[in-house]
Amino acid sequence: MDNFDLRKYLAEGRILREINEGKQVGTLYHWTDFESLYHIIKSNSLISNQTTDFNSKRKTNSEEKCISFTRSKDKNQFLISQDSQCVLVLDGNKLSNNYKINPTHDINPHFYGDDEFDEEEYDEMEERVCGKDIKNLDKYIINIIFDEKNIKGSYQNEREFKKVLSIVKKKNIPFETSSKQTIKFIKQ
């Protein structure tokens, strides 16, 4: 590097492009229920919970607490609990600047009743933040998607939804639903 000219390098702006490049994680989704979402928004944090790794390529302590995310908002694709009523949509790029995000392949073949289990067939695309809670969550929230199938149908769900919707609106967090009927329901 005998001919390297730092002034020219800085003048070209190349160093700023290189410094500003960050890890590209993309959008992450965290499914939860209305009651939990209310507490998440109120506390402005996601609290890590005990996890179970069945077939994880990442070796974790069985006592380790993590927060799980997916790369898809399709909860049926990942055997996400049917109790999950809404999804937090998060900016994974911003999140990765302050938290280590680990890809996890965590599949239990017994869920599928599969004697000849093929890992490739059941790719879960899960990401985890392990070992600590996520604070100042509002910095990472893109929006919240409410699953309209879980809003109507029971008094309990409607009441919890209205409670969480009030705090979401109060904190000025963008939200959407998956049907126009739900929007009409909300306005009632």
Side-chain angles (χ1 to χ4, degrees), residues 20-181:
N20 288 329
E21 257 184 47
K23 184 177 174 186
Q24 300 297 309
V25 175
T27 304
L28 295 175
Y29 302 91
H30 178 78
W31 281 92
T32 190
D33 58 57
F34 295 144
E35 184 178 354
S36 296
L37 180 62
Y38 178 82
H39 294 289
I40 290 167
I41 300 301
K42 189 173 181 180
S43 69
N44 197 26
S45 59
L46 272 171
I47 308 300
S48 56
N49 288 312
Q50 189 91 19
T51 60
T52 305
D53 282 351
F54 294 106
N55 191 23
S56 179
K57 294 192 187 314
R58 178 179 173 273
K59 300 295 182 205
T60 59
N61 178 340
S62 62
E63 300 295 315
E64 189 171 31
K65 293 184 175 184
C66 299
I67 302 165
S68 297
F69 304 94
T70 65
R71 291 188 174 271
S72 170
K73 61 184 169 188
D74 180 7
K75 77 176 179 180
N76 294 324
Q77 182 178 356
F78 303 106
L79 295 176
I80 293 171
S81 170
Q82 294 305 309
D83 295 337
S84 297
Q85 300 164 315
C86 47
V87 62
L88 277 165
V89 182
L90 303 170
D91 185 329
N93 297 335
K94 287 182 183 177
L95 192 64
S96 70
N97 290 330
N98 296 310
Y99 298 91
K100 184 173 180 180
I101 299 173
N102 299 300
T104 304
H105 184 80
D106 181 17
I107 298 295
N108 182 349
H110 303 292
F111 285 153
Y112 301 98
D114 213 345
D115 293 333
E116 294 181 28
F117 180 69
D118 179 13
E119 284 188 25
E120 297 301 315
E121 186 178 346
Y122 302 110
D123 185 20
E124 190 173 354
M125 299 187 304
E126 183 176 347
E127 308 289 329
R128 290 184 181 168
V129 171
C130 294
K132 60 182 178 177
D133 301 337
I134 296 174
K135 304 290 184 183
N136 300 314
L137 187 64
D138 56 351
K139 293 187 335 188
Y140 312 110
I141 296 176
I142 296 171
N143 74 337
I144 297 170
I145 302 172
F146 294 105
D147 185 356
E148 83 277 355
K149 290 179 277 184
N150 291 301
I151 297 171
K152 295 191 275 183
S154 83
Y155 174 74
Q156 179 74 14
N157 284 357
E158 289 179 18
R159 194 177 80 222
E160 286 178 5
F161 173 71
K162 287 179 181 178
K163 180 180 173 183
V164 77
L165 186 61
S166 70
I167 195 167
V168 165
K169 286 180 175 180
K170 183 178 179 180
K171 299 261 186 168
N172 211 17
I173 299 171
F175 68 92
E176 62 184 83
T177 58
S178 46
S179 86
K180 293 186 185 331
Q181 286 182 329

